[in-house]
C-alpha cells in the first residue's frame, strides 16, 4: 500500500485515473442498488394489485392500467416486469389474460 501511495503522489495522471475508476465503480454500485430498490417496490405494488382483485387468482383491467402507469412513471423495464410477475407467481401470459391458469380448474 505504501508503495502505491508513493507512486500516486508522483504520478498525477495515475492518481486521477484511479480516482475516476473508483468514482465510476461507486456510481455503478449506486445505480444497481437503486434499480434493486425500484424492482422491490414494483413487486410490492404488483402484489398489492393482485391482492385488491376480487379473486386471488385474477387481476382487474383497472389494476393492470394502474400498474402500467406506475411502470411508465418509474421506468420499469419489460425484464423487471417479468421478474416481478415471477416473484408473484404469475406468468406474462396469465397477466395478459388477467387470470392465473390454475384458477380455471
Amino acid at each position: 500500500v505504501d508503495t502505491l501511495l508513493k507512486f500516486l503522489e508522483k504520478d498525477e495522471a495515475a492518481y486521477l485515473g484511479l480516482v475516476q475508476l473508483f468514482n465510476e465503480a461507486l456510481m455503478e454500485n449506486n445505480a444497481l442498488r437503486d434499480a434493486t430498490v425500484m424492482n422491490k417496490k414494483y413487486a410490492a405494488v404488483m402484489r398489492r394489485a393482485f391482492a385488491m382483485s376480487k379473486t386471488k387468482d385474477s387481476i382487474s383491467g383497472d389494476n393492470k392500467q394502474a400498474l402500467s402507469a406506475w411502470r411508465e412513471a418509474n421506468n420499469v423495464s419489460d425484464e423487471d416486469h417479468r421478474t416481478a410477475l415471477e416473484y408473484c407467481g404469475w406468468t406474462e401470459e396469465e397477466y395478459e389474460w388477467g387470470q392465473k391458469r390454475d384458477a380455471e380448474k
Side-chain angles (χ1 to χ4, degrees):
V1 173
D2 288 336
T3 305
L4 176 61
L5 290 174
K6 286 178 185 176
F7 173 75
L8 292 175
E9 286 174 0
K10 294 178 183 177
D11 190 335
E12 185 176 359
Y15 171 77
L16 293 175
L18 188 60
V19 168
Q20 181 177 354
L21 211 123
F22 281 130
N23 283 339
E24 288 174 3
L26 182 60
M27 290 175 65
E28 184 176 324
N29 186 41
N30 285 342
L32 289 173
R33 185 196 65 214
D34 291 348
T36 300
V37 168
M38 183 57 66
N39 291 343
K40 288 180 181 179
K41 284 182 182 178
Y42 180 62
V45 168
M46 182 179 280
R47 272 196 317 269
R48 183 69 184 136
F50 289 135
M52 291 173 56
S53 295
K54 292 179 182 177
T55 66
K56 71 174 189 164
D57 292 328
S58 68
I59 185 165
S60 70
D62 289 343
N63 285 347
K64 285 174 62 176
Q65 285 180 332
L67 279 173
S68 181
W70 201 94
R71 278 184 69 189
E72 187 174 328
N74 292 282
N75 299 315
V76 175
S77 69
D78 290 343
E79 180 181 344
D80 293 337
H81 176 70
R82 283 189 294 276
T83 300
L85 283 171
E86 289 174 19
Y87 180 76
C88 292
W90 283 63
T91 66
E92 283 183 89
E93 183 180 71
E94 291 170 333
Y95 180 78
E96 291 303 317
W97 188 36
Q99 187 170 0
K100 291 190 60 72
R101 283 185 189 220
D102 297 351
E104 294 176 0
K105 300 174 184 174

